[in-house]
């Protein structure tokens, strides 16, 4: 995928073991001090230089030991990235900077035996290495970091008291190339060794690290303690991480190998957030038919983490925002998915890594495939297919960008250039490539079979487990997977030649884009399909079998057509004949038989709707052109959510009375998947806005909402909150957001929308609900932000001065209904809590708003919404 090591190059020294001791952690200076010992085996005893990676560090001492003898060495520390461009150079173009940056990175690339720290071996040391059969030496380097700008992140809250009482903590962070920022190492994912890790911290602090905790030793003065960890599984330096802080500890009661850590005061949230994790742990072990590769697994929740999760060997660092109570619904689903994905990465990417950056896609796709299987098992097939659709959409959007996505595995040599680098590429690119890797792995499972693919996973893990038991790097290469080795294993297990598959989906970039038209030939009783494949510049056409599913009067039938060119015509014989004035139940693909209203269909055609690649077996985008009544039938009667979502996307372009009726039926159907219903609500809002001059803008959606959630005695007043049905909860949240986007023919938000939102806020009652309504109230506030401000409305209709006062009354209800806890929840999820409250309403503080909602400006409001009074207010309207 990314960069390929030269086959001619071999490292002249091999790292066998490394010991890292952090002796001091200074939170005030945001610095650490310690030493590291590297046990190095000389592949070429005549080599005179040892290269290590070391940035943002000060080396205060160095010792070399070989066969019990001490030797003097000279070291040189340089950082070519400190000044990427020469200061006296007049060139200031982006291309010139990129070239200089690439040259600087290549000069210290550990994958080619280079580094910032160069150690010159003395002649006597070289003679000693050449005189012994086992040419092994130990390098000891004493290091110090000061004001770390990367690799480590310190969180030191202000206030009085000790650092532990204030919740001060620190943790490793960053992406590729960040390990060299906090200790000297070979910062490469391909250089494996075993580890000893020691961390000395204050007595009121705790240290958590990769590896297994061996012992905890108190210092002589009883003021500090040392945590000793050991990692016997060969691991690369970027997979080593640690955390220091005053953590509360929660051993998993069901799985003793798992331990959870959180900051003080969050233990109850930690218990609620991780109660399910034993099920994920057991599911992956049963699925892979193997034990968890590490003897222990630690989950640490910290504040100010840059990513939701950062995976290290036997350790994952999570953002504390993932923690939630048992009364929170929205965050619970997200937290489960993040924790499950991180556990899958422990098997693939942490334990089983890649041989070169060209093979990065392989463990990434494996972990993504495992994660997808858990989604299917825990949340159901519909949610799984919805997630697949999101992954496919992410790849499609990335491929449509001018640069597109590079191939997962490049066949170019280094001389031809491989443009993508983990040190210079954006995280967004890697997220898109991770989605593509997972989708390709899923296509592979479809090709050879799910069970065969799991057998291959099990075999790779078994080979890695055997390699761990071998000493002195014997067989350690089994811990690194390669694309070529994976292809051989595939052919051995499945007995199929997979080279064509890899040529199309792995060694090439791009994805398939199809435009489809079809007509029914009554005389021959066939469907004539015209398929056009768009091939952007720089891409190649995709060939292979494509499944076509046709729903006919007599049932659903699947056909396979062969795509061989950009333009192709296909003829498919129909199993049904046109039926006139005959009413009969129509069998669906799911086995059901339903009654359909065929009054709007073509009486001469037995085709009800048509779908391409219904099971998402291609990385593709399909645009099918068929009449609106077919989309309506597909939405209402097809049970596959991908088909329903495709129909919703197309019906946005066909606003009509029949489409409105169809959407209303889907929204009200309790048997329909809730994500389809929420999308139908948004589609209905777009259709209503498009036909606002005919239908009367807000009443249709508001009427459906009142039928679902209005009280029986007075439908305009909503029922007491009851979120025990999670599907209905998400639907109830979606209604205000969709209704707030309604517009009349003048592009203005109708008064009834403001009145509706005011009633929603005014009558919201959560007293008897088992779950929190913070996210629900947040959606109400967010809905207000989608309504044009009164200033805009006044500018368009200058004679209607009462608009501001209607909006004011609605915002007064917000101020009365929204609590501080709701504001805090919203600030974390939407980052724009009170953006919808117009500035002119803030001048009457004592009339309608509580001060406690506004004192935490950084949490709930942006100042720039307040300081520009003259841009948003007409003083004469509010004074």
């Amino acid at each position: 995928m990314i960069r390929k090591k030269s086959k001619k190059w071999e490292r002249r020294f091999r790292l066998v073991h490394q010991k890292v001791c952090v002796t001091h952690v200074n939170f005030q200076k945001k610095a650490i001090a310690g030493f590291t010992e590297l046990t190095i085996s000389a592949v070429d005893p005549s080599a005179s230089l040892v290269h290590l990676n070391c940035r943002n560090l000060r080396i205060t001492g160095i010792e070399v030991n070989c066969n019990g003898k001490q030797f003097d060495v000279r070291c040189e520390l340089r950082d070519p990235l400190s000044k990427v461009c020469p200061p006296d150079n007049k060139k200031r173009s982006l291309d010139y900077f990129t070239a200089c940056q690439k040259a600087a990175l290549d000069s210290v690339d550990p994958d080619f035996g280079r580094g910032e720290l160069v150690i010159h071996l003395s002649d006597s040391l070289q003679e000693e290495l050449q005189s012994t059969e086992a040419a092994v030496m130990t390098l000891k380097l004493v290091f110090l970091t000061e004001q770390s700008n990367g690799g480590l992140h310190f969180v030191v809250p202000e206030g009085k008291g000790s650092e532990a009482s204030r919740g001060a903590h620190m943790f490793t962070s960053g992406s590729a190339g960040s390990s060299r920022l906090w200790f000297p190492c070979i910062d490469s994912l391909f250089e494996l060794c075993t580890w000893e890790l020691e961390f000395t911290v204050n007595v009121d602090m705790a240290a958590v690290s990769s590896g297994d905790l061996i012992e905890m030793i108190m210092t002589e003065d009883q003021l500090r303690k040392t945590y000793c960890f050991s990692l016997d599984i060969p691991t690369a330096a970027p997979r080593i991480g640690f955390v220091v802080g005053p953590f509360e500890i929660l051993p998993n009661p069901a799985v003793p190998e798992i331990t959870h850590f959180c900051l003080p005061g969050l233990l109850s949230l930690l218990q609620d957030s991780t109660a399910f994790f034993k099920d994920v742990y057991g599911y992956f072990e049963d699925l892979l038919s193997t034990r968890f590769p590490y003897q222990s697994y630690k989950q640490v929740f910290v504040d100010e983490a840059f990513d939701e999760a950062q995976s290290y060997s036997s350790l994952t660092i999570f953002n504390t925002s993932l923690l939630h109570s048992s009364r929170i619904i929205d965050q619970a689903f997200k937290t489960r998915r993040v924790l499950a994905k991180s556990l899958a990465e422990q098997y693939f990417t942490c334990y089983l890594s890649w041989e070169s950056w060209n093979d990065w896609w392989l463990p990434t796709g494996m972990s993504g495939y495992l994660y997808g299987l858990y989604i299917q098992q825990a949340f159901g097939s519909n949610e799984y297919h919805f997630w697949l659709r999101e992954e496919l959409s992410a790849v499609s959007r990335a491929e449509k960008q001018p640069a597109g996505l590079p191939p997962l595995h490049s066949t170019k040599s280094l001389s031809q250039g491989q443009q993508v680098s983990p040190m210079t590429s954006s995280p967004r690119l890697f997220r898109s490539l991770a989605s593509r890797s997972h989708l390709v792995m899923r296509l592979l499972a479809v090709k050879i079979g799910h069970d065969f693919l799991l057998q291959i996973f099990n075999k790779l893990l078994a080979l890695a487990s055997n390699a761990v038991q071998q000493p002195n790097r014997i067989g350690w290469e089994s811990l690194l997977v390669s694309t070529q080795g994976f292809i051989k294993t595939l052919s051995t297990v499945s007995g199929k030649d997979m080279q064509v598959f890899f040529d199309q989906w792995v060694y090439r970039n791009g994805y398939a884009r199809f435009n489809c038209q079809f007509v029914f030939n009554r005389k021959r009783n066939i469907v004539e399909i015209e398929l056009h494949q768009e091939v952007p510049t720089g891409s190649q056409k995709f060939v292979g079998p494509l499944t076509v599913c046709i729903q006919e009067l007599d049932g659903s039938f699947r056909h396979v057509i062969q795509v061989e060119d950009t333009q192709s015509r296909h003829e498919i014989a129909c199993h049904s004949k046109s039926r006139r004035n005959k009413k009969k139940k129509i069998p669906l693909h799911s086995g059901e038989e339903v009654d359909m209203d065929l009054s709007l269909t073509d009486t001469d055609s037995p085709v009800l709707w048509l779908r391409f690649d219904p099971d998402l077996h291609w990385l593709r985008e399909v645009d099918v052109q068929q009449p609106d009544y077919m989309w309506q039938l597909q939405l209402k009667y097809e049970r596959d959510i991908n088909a329903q979502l495709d129909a919703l996307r197309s019906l946005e372009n066909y606003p009509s009375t029949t489409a409105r009726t169809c959407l209303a039926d889907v929204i009200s159907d309790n048997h329909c998947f809730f994500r389809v219903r929420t999308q139908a609500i948004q589609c209905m809002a777009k259709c209503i806005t498009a036909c606002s001059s005919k239908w009367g803008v807000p009443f249709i959606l508001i009427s459906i909402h009142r039928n679902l959630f209005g009280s029986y005695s007075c439908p305009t007043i909503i029922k007491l909150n009851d979120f025990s049905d999670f599907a209905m909860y998400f639907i109830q949240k979606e209604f205000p957001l969709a209704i707030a986007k309604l517009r009349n023919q003048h592009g203005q938000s109708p008064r009834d929308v403001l009145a509706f939102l005011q009633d929603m806020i005014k009558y919201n009652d959560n007293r008897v609900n088992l779950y929190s309504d913070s996210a629900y109230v947040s959606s109400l506030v967010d809905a207000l932000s989608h309504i044009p401000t009164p200033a805009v409305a006044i500018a368009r209709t200058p004679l209607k001065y009462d608009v501001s006062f209607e909006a004011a009354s609605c915002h007064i209800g917000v101020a009365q209904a929204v609590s501080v806890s709701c504001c805090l929840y919203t600030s974390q999820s939407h980052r724009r809590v009170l953006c919808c409250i117009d500035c002119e309403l803030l001048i009457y503080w004592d009339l309608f708003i509580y001060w406690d909602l506004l004192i935490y400006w950084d949490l709930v409001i942006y100042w720039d919404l307040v300081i520009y009074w003259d841009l948003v207010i007409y003083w004469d309207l509010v004074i």
Side-chain angles (χ1 to χ4, degrees), residues 29-67:
K29 295 183 178 180
K30 297 184 178 181
I32 65 171
F35 66 90
T36 181
E37 295 180 356
L38 299 93
T39 303
I40 298 177
S41 174
V43 178
D44 182 5
S46 63
S48 60
L49 299 176
V50 175
H51 294 263
L52 299 177
N53 296 112
C54 179
R55 286 189 62 206
N56 200 36
L57 299 174
R58 183 153 54 94
I59 304 300
T60 59
I62 181 171
E63 298 177 4
V64 179
N65 183 289
C66 182
N67 296 329

Short mmCIF file of all heavy atoms in Angstrom, two decimals, residues 29-67:
data_model
loop_
_atom_site.label_atom_id
_atom_site.label_comp_id
_atom_site.label_asym_id
_atom_site.label_seq_id
_atom_site.Cartn_x
_atom_site.Cartn_y
_atom_site.Cartn_z
N LYS A 29 7.05 20.35 34.27
CA LYS A 29 7.84 20.65 33.08
C LYS A 29 7.39 19.84 31.86
O LYS A 29 7.91 20.04 30.77
CB LYS A 29 9.32 20.37 33.35
CG LYS A 29 9.94 21.27 34.40
CD LYS A 29 11.43 20.96 34.55
CE LYS A 29 12.08 21.89 35.56
NZ LYS A 29 13.54 21.60 35.70
N LYS A 30 6.45 18.93 32.09
CA LYS A 30 5.97 18.05 31.03
C LYS A 30 7.15 17.34 30.36
O LYS A 30 7.35 17.41 29.14
CB LYS A 30 5.16 18.84 30.00
CG LYS A 30 3.90 19.47 30.57
CD LYS A 30 3.06 20.16 29.53
CE LYS A 30 1.79 20.74 30.15
NZ LYS A 30 0.94 21.41 29.16
N ALA A 31 7.90 16.64 31.19
CA ALA A 31 9.12 15.98 30.72
C ALA A 31 9.29 14.66 31.46
O ALA A 31 8.74 14.45 32.55
CB ALA A 31 10.33 16.87 30.94
N ILE A 32 10.04 13.76 30.85
CA ILE A 32 10.42 12.50 31.49
C ILE A 32 11.93 12.33 31.35
O ILE A 32 12.58 12.95 30.49
CB ILE A 32 9.69 11.30 30.86
CG1 ILE A 32 10.11 11.11 29.39
CG2 ILE A 32 8.18 11.43 30.99
CD1 ILE A 32 9.60 9.81 28.78
N ALA A 33 12.50 11.49 32.20
CA ALA A 33 13.92 11.16 32.15
C ALA A 33 14.07 9.67 32.41
O ALA A 33 13.26 9.07 33.13
CB ALA A 33 14.71 11.97 33.18
N GLY A 34 15.09 9.08 31.83
CA GLY A 34 15.31 7.66 32.02
C GLY A 34 16.46 7.16 31.17
O GLY A 34 17.30 7.94 30.69
N PHE A 35 16.51 5.86 31.00
CA PHE A 35 17.54 5.27 30.16
C PHE A 35 16.97 4.05 29.45
O PHE A 35 15.92 3.51 29.84
CB PHE A 35 18.77 4.88 30.99
CG PHE A 35 18.53 3.77 31.99
CD1 PHE A 35 18.71 2.44 31.63
CD2 PHE A 35 18.12 4.06 33.28
CE1 PHE A 35 18.49 1.43 32.56
CE2 PHE A 35 17.88 3.06 34.20
CZ PHE A 35 18.06 1.73 33.83
N THR A 36 17.64 3.63 28.41
CA THR A 36 17.23 2.44 27.66
C THR A 36 18.46 1.61 27.33
O THR A 36 19.56 2.16 27.10
CB THR A 36 16.50 2.84 26.36
OG1 THR A 36 16.10 1.65 25.67
CG2 THR A 36 17.36 3.66 25.44
N GLU A 37 18.30 0.32 27.35
CA GLU A 37 19.36 -0.62 27.00
C GLU A 37 18.91 -1.46 25.82
O GLU A 37 17.86 -2.10 25.88
CB GLU A 37 19.70 -1.52 28.19
CG GLU A 37 20.29 -0.78 29.38
CD GLU A 37 20.60 -1.71 30.54
OE1 GLU A 37 20.29 -2.92 30.43
OE2 GLU A 37 21.16 -1.25 31.55
N LEU A 38 19.70 -1.46 24.77
CA LEU A 38 19.39 -2.20 23.54
C LEU A 38 20.39 -3.32 23.36
O LEU A 38 21.61 -3.08 23.32
CB LEU A 38 19.41 -1.29 22.32
CG LEU A 38 18.44 -0.11 22.28
CD1 LEU A 38 19.11 1.15 22.83
CD2 LEU A 38 17.95 0.15 20.87
N THR A 39 19.88 -4.54 23.30
CA THR A 39 20.72 -5.70 23.00
C THR A 39 20.70 -5.93 21.50
O THR A 39 19.64 -6.23 20.93
CB THR A 39 20.22 -6.94 23.75
OG1 THR A 39 20.20 -6.66 25.15
CG2 THR A 39 21.13 -8.12 23.49
N ILE A 40 21.87 -5.76 20.87
CA ILE A 40 21.96 -5.75 19.42
C ILE A 40 22.87 -6.88 18.96
O ILE A 40 23.96 -7.08 19.50
CB ILE A 40 22.50 -4.39 18.91
CG1 ILE A 40 21.53 -3.27 19.30
CG2 ILE A 40 22.69 -4.41 17.40
CD1 ILE A 40 21.99 -1.90 18.92
N SER A 41 22.41 -7.60 17.96
CA SER A 41 23.20 -8.66 17.33
C SER A 41 23.73 -8.15 16.00
O SER A 41 22.96 -7.61 15.18
CB SER A 41 22.34 -9.90 17.12
OG SER A 41 23.04 -10.89 16.39
N ALA A 42 25.01 -8.30 15.79
CA ALA A 42 25.64 -7.80 14.58
C ALA A 42 25.50 -8.81 13.45
O ALA A 42 26.04 -9.93 13.53
CB ALA A 42 27.11 -7.48 14.82
N VAL A 43 24.76 -8.46 12.43
CA VAL A 43 24.67 -9.30 11.23
C VAL A 43 25.98 -9.26 10.46
O VAL A 43 26.47 -10.27 9.96
CB VAL A 43 23.50 -8.85 10.35
CG1 VAL A 43 23.43 -9.68 9.07
CG2 VAL A 43 22.18 -8.92 11.11
N ASP A 44 26.59 -8.09 10.41
CA ASP A 44 27.89 -7.88 9.78
C ASP A 44 28.83 -7.31 10.84
O ASP A 44 28.79 -6.11 11.14
CB ASP A 44 27.76 -6.93 8.59
CG ASP A 44 29.08 -6.71 7.86
OD1 ASP A 44 30.08 -7.38 8.22
OD2 ASP A 44 29.11 -5.87 6.94
N PRO A 45 29.67 -8.13 11.47
CA PRO A 45 30.55 -7.64 12.55
C PRO A 45 31.51 -6.54 12.12
O PRO A 45 32.05 -5.84 12.97
CB PRO A 45 31.31 -8.90 12.98
CG PRO A 45 30.46 -10.04 12.53
CD PRO A 45 29.81 -9.59 11.26
N SER A 46 31.73 -6.40 10.84
CA SER A 46 32.66 -5.37 10.38
C SER A 46 32.01 -3.99 10.29
O SER A 46 32.69 -3.01 9.99
CB SER A 46 33.22 -5.75 9.01
OG SER A 46 32.18 -5.81 8.04
N ALA A 47 30.69 -3.90 10.52
CA ALA A 47 30.00 -2.62 10.44
C ALA A 47 30.49 -1.69 11.54
O ALA A 47 30.76 -2.12 12.66
CB ALA A 47 28.49 -2.82 10.56
N SER A 48 30.60 -0.43 11.21
CA SER A 48 31.16 0.55 12.15
C SER A 48 30.14 1.57 12.64
O SER A 48 30.48 2.39 13.50
CB SER A 48 32.32 1.30 11.48
OG SER A 48 31.87 1.98 10.31
N LEU A 49 28.90 1.52 12.13
CA LEU A 49 27.90 2.50 12.51
C LEU A 49 26.62 1.80 12.95
O LEU A 49 26.21 0.79 12.37
CB LEU A 49 27.58 3.45 11.34
CG LEU A 49 28.72 4.32 10.80
CD1 LEU A 49 28.24 5.12 9.61
CD2 LEU A 49 29.25 5.25 11.88
N VAL A 50 25.98 2.36 13.97
CA VAL A 50 24.66 1.92 14.42
C VAL A 50 23.75 3.13 14.38
O VAL A 50 24.06 4.18 14.97
CB VAL A 50 24.71 1.34 15.84
CG1 VAL A 50 23.30 1.00 16.32
CG2 VAL A 50 25.59 0.10 15.88
N HIS A 51 22.64 2.99 13.68
CA HIS A 51 21.68 4.09 13.53
C HIS A 51 20.46 3.82 14.40
O HIS A 51 19.87 2.73 14.35
CB HIS A 51 21.25 4.24 12.08
CG HIS A 51 22.36 4.66 11.16
ND1 HIS A 51 22.56 5.97 10.78
CD2 HIS A 51 23.33 3.94 10.54
CE1 HIS A 51 23.59 6.04 9.96
NE2 HIS A 51 24.07 4.82 9.79
N LEU A 52 20.08 4.81 15.19
CA LEU A 52 18.87 4.76 16.00
C LEU A 52 18.03 5.99 15.73
O LEU A 52 18.54 7.02 15.28
CB LEU A 52 19.20 4.68 17.49
CG LEU A 52 20.01 3.47 17.97
CD1 LEU A 52 20.31 3.60 19.45
CD2 LEU A 52 19.27 2.17 17.69
N ASN A 53 16.74 5.89 16.05
CA ASN A 53 15.84 7.04 15.90
C ASN A 53 15.71 7.75 17.24
O ASN A 53 15.47 7.13 18.27
CB ASN A 53 14.47 6.58 15.42
CG ASN A 53 14.51 5.97 14.03
OD1 ASN A 53 14.31 4.78 13.86
ND2 ASN A 53 14.79 6.79 13.04
N CYS A 54 15.88 9.06 17.19
CA CYS A 54 15.88 9.84 18.42
C CYS A 54 15.63 11.30 18.06
O CYS A 54 16.48 11.96 17.46
CB CYS A 54 17.21 9.67 19.15
SG CYS A 54 17.36 10.61 20.66
N ARG A 55 14.46 11.80 18.41
CA ARG A 55 14.12 13.20 18.17
C ARG A 55 13.52 13.80 19.43
O ARG A 55 12.88 13.11 20.22
CB ARG A 55 13.09 13.33 17.03
CG ARG A 55 13.62 13.10 15.63
CD ARG A 55 12.56 13.48 14.61
NE ARG A 55 12.21 14.89 14.71
CZ ARG A 55 11.03 15.39 14.33
NH1 ARG A 55 10.09 14.60 13.88
NH2 ARG A 55 10.80 16.69 14.45
N ASN A 56 13.70 15.10 19.58
CA ASN A 56 13.14 15.82 20.71
C ASN A 56 13.68 15.31 22.04
O ASN A 56 13.05 15.44 23.09
CB ASN A 56 11.60 15.71 20.70
CG ASN A 56 10.94 16.80 21.52
OD1 ASN A 56 11.41 17.93 21.55
ND2 ASN A 56 9.85 16.45 22.17
N LEU A 57 14.85 14.68 22.01
CA LEU A 57 15.47 14.10 23.20
C LEU A 57 16.89 14.67 23.36
O LEU A 57 17.53 15.04 22.38
CB LEU A 57 15.55 12.58 23.11
CG LEU A 57 14.23 11.81 23.00
CD1 LEU A 57 14.51 10.33 22.78
CD2 LEU A 57 13.38 12.00 24.25
N ARG A 58 17.35 14.68 24.62
CA ARG A 58 18.73 15.04 24.90
C ARG A 58 19.43 13.82 25.48
O ARG A 58 19.01 13.30 26.52
CB ARG A 58 18.78 16.22 25.88
CG ARG A 58 20.19 16.71 26.18
CD ARG A 58 20.17 18.18 26.57
NE ARG A 58 19.26 18.46 27.66
CZ ARG A 58 19.64 18.50 28.95
NH1 ARG A 58 20.88 18.25 29.29
NH2 ARG A 58 18.76 18.78 29.88
N ILE A 59 20.47 13.35 24.81
CA ILE A 59 21.23 12.19 25.26
C ILE A 59 22.30 12.68 26.22
O ILE A 59 23.19 13.45 25.84
CB ILE A 59 21.86 11.44 24.08
CG1 ILE A 59 20.78 11.02 23.07
CG2 ILE A 59 22.63 10.21 24.57
CD1 ILE A 59 19.72 10.11 23.63
N THR A 60 22.22 12.24 27.48
CA THR A 60 23.16 12.70 28.50
C THR A 60 24.23 11.68 28.83
O THR A 60 25.15 11.98 29.59
CB THR A 60 22.40 13.06 29.79
OG1 THR A 60 21.69 11.90 30.25
CG2 THR A 60 21.41 14.19 29.53
N GLY A 61 24.15 10.50 28.29
CA GLY A 61 25.18 9.48 28.54
C GLY A 61 24.99 8.29 27.65
O GLY A 61 23.87 7.97 27.23
N ILE A 62 26.11 7.61 27.35
CA ILE A 62 26.05 6.41 26.50
C ILE A 62 27.13 5.44 26.93
O ILE A 62 28.26 5.84 27.21
CB ILE A 62 26.20 6.78 25.00
CG1 ILE A 62 26.09 5.53 24.13
CG2 ILE A 62 27.47 7.55 24.74
CD1 ILE A 62 26.01 5.81 22.65
N GLU A 63 26.78 4.16 27.04
CA GLU A 63 27.71 3.10 27.40
C GLU A 63 27.51 1.93 26.44
O GLU A 63 26.38 1.66 26.00
CB GLU A 63 27.49 2.64 28.84
CG GLU A 63 27.71 3.70 29.89
CD GLU A 63 27.41 3.18 31.29
OE1 GLU A 63 27.11 1.97 31.41
OE2 GLU A 63 27.47 3.97 32.25
N VAL A 64 28.60 1.23 26.15
CA VAL A 64 28.55 0.06 25.28
C VAL A 64 29.26 -1.09 25.99
O VAL A 64 30.39 -0.92 26.49
CB VAL A 64 29.21 0.33 23.92
CG1 VAL A 64 29.14 -0.93 23.05
CG2 VAL A 64 28.53 1.48 23.21
N ASN A 65 28.61 -2.23 26.03
CA ASN A 65 29.16 -3.41 26.68
C ASN A 65 29.14 -4.57 25.70
O ASN A 65 28.12 -4.81 25.03
CB ASN A 65 28.34 -3.75 27.94
CG ASN A 65 28.92 -4.93 28.70
OD1 ASN A 65 28.85 -6.07 28.25
ND2 ASN A 65 29.48 -4.64 29.87
N CYS A 66 30.26 -5.26 25.61
CA CYS A 66 30.35 -6.44 24.75
C CYS A 66 31.21 -7.48 25.45
O CYS A 66 32.38 -7.21 25.79
CB CYS A 66 30.97 -6.06 23.40
SG CYS A 66 31.07 -7.44 22.23
N ASN A 67 30.64 -8.63 25.71
CA ASN A 67 31.34 -9.72 26.40
C ASN A 67 31.87 -9.27 27.76
O ASN A 67 32.99 -9.64 28.17
CB ASN A 67 32.49 -10.26 25.54
CG ASN A 67 31.98 -10.88 24.25
OD1 ASN A 67 30.88 -11.43 24.20
ND2 ASN A 67 32.77 -10.80 23.19
#
